[in-house]
Amino acid sequence: MRFTKMHGLGNDYIFLNCMEGTPNDLPGLACRLSDRRFGVGGDGVICVCPSDWADYKMRMFNADGSEGAMCGNGIRCFGKYVYDRKLTDKAHLAIETLAGERELSLMIEDGKVSGAVVGMGAPEIQPPMEIAVKGICFTAIPVSIGNPHAVIQVEDPAALDLQAVGSAVECHPAFPHRVNAEFVRVLSRGELQMRVWERGSGETLACGTGACASAAAMMADGKLDREVTVHLAGGDLRVRWDEKSGQMFMTGPAVTVFDGELDD
């Protein structure tokens, strides 16, 4: 079985070509391959699959084997994977995900994809709620953008013990299906700083859906303009919330790290 390691701002995934068949026990395979000591190492596994109605179907499994509905950094890499390997010659793609159809506009340089603009859909923002974790009270804004997020504004995201606090928010009783936790600080009307604890993967260097959810929450609260730069540990994403359509658009890079082959 051949695989490709890819990343978007350090949010790294192991890609499998499943166009002609899917391996058995994908959750177990994702756990094994994602292990950074005994496997390939990554935040999860993404499968490139055929779709009955879109150009392709993306299936994404977190490092703990749970299947995710959508992955913003992963879907940019997905577009690079199918274009660079000449599975398609389209620069605009419709991708089927568990969160619905997502559209990609590929950024092509010298015949290869360097990044993509992703139509992320419209965010669903719920009223803020008070939660207590590890003896600290937070105001969390639940946001869905294909998968669930809790956006929490803090003084300094870098100062948090994210291992303790992030995992506690992920599994808080207020979120019975677990949640991605984003801790954010507004730097200006055009800039947002963010750290993320991803459901099923732990702290990651970037989260595309989380960046969109965080930007939407702060935009809706009047703290940000409609187009901003989100600063993450792995780099920057550009996020725009289109007022006319209600859809969010995310722009960022996609990088291939290496190809490999599994013995079994």
Side-chain angles (χ1 to χ4, degrees):
M1 181 188 299
R2 295 195 60 79
F3 68 88
T4 300
K5 175 79 174 285
M6 307 184 78
H7 79 84
L9 299 182
N11 191 197
D12 55 343
Y13 291 94
I14 301 145
F15 277 74
L16 304 177
N17 187 338
C18 300
M19 293 297 292
E20 297 182 359
T22 302
N24 295 326
D25 187 21
L26 279 173
L29 184 63
C31 290
R32 181 164 66 91
L33 296 185
S34 299
D35 191 291
R36 296 189 183 276
R37 291 180 175 82
F38 298 101
V40 177
D43 292 323
V45 166
I46 291 179
C47 300
V48 178
C49 306
S51 172
D52 292 333
W53 48 269
D55 291 308
Y56 296 95
K57 179 179 181 179
M58 182 178 83
R59 293 189 68 188
M60 176 266 182
F61 293 84
N62 294 304
D64 69 350
S66 59
E67 186 165 7
M70 174 54 187
C71 176
N73 290 315
I75 201 169
R76 296 197 313 275
C77 293
F78 190 105
K80 179 175 176 63
Y81 183 98
V82 297
Y83 188 91
D84 286 3
R85 281 156 185 75
K86 303 189 185 307
L87 300 179
T88 185
D89 59 0
K90 293 182 177 180
H92 300 276
L93 297 169
I95 307 299
E96 177 186 351
T97 76
L98 288 180
E101 181 181 313
R102 296 292 184 263
E103 294 187 358
L104 291 178
S105 295
L106 304 179
M107 301 156 58
I108 301 169
E109 298 178 11
D110 298 324
K112 290 185 178 288
V113 172
S114 60
V117 181
V118 186
M120 298 289 288
E124 299 176 8
I125 305 172
Q126 299 177 28
M129 62 171 65
E130 301 298 321
I131 61 172
V133 296
K134 302 296 181 181
I136 307 171
C137 291
F138 292 113
T139 300
I141 303 174
V143 181
S144 174
I145 187 147
N147 52 7
H149 297 268
V151 180
I152 299 170
Q153 192 171 5
V154 296
E155 279 191 20
D156 183 7
L160 289 173
D161 180 355
L162 202 61
Q163 176 70 41
V165 176
S167 59
V169 174
E170 176 192 359
C171 300
H172 193 278
F175 309 108
H177 302 293
R178 298 189 298 161
V179 75
N180 299 279
E182 284 80 31
F183 299 89
V184 304
R185 177 172 64 173
V186 175
L187 301 177
S188 69
R189 292 200 60 81
E191 292 182 284
L192 185 69
Q193 179 188 0
M194 183 186 107
R195 283 182 77 190
V196 59
W197 180 272
E198 290 202 55
R199 178 179 64 164
S201 293
E203 183 175 10
T204 60
L205 296 181
C207 176
T209 58
C212 291
S214 297
M218 296 298 102
M219 289 172 183
D221 200 29
K223 295 174 179 175
L224 289 176
D225 294 334
R226 283 276 178 157
E227 185 166 358
V228 300
T229 298
V230 182
H231 301 292
L232 306 111
D236 294 345
L237 290 173
R238 193 72 181 165
V239 174
R240 177 172 65 88
W241 191 359
D242 185 70
E243 201 160 359
K244 185 176 181 180
S245 68
Q247 184 171 193
M248 301 203 79
F249 293 88
M250 174 197 62
T251 303
V255 177
T256 297
V257 184
F258 62 86
D259 295 313
E261 187 172 307
L262 301 170
D263 287 338
D264 54 17

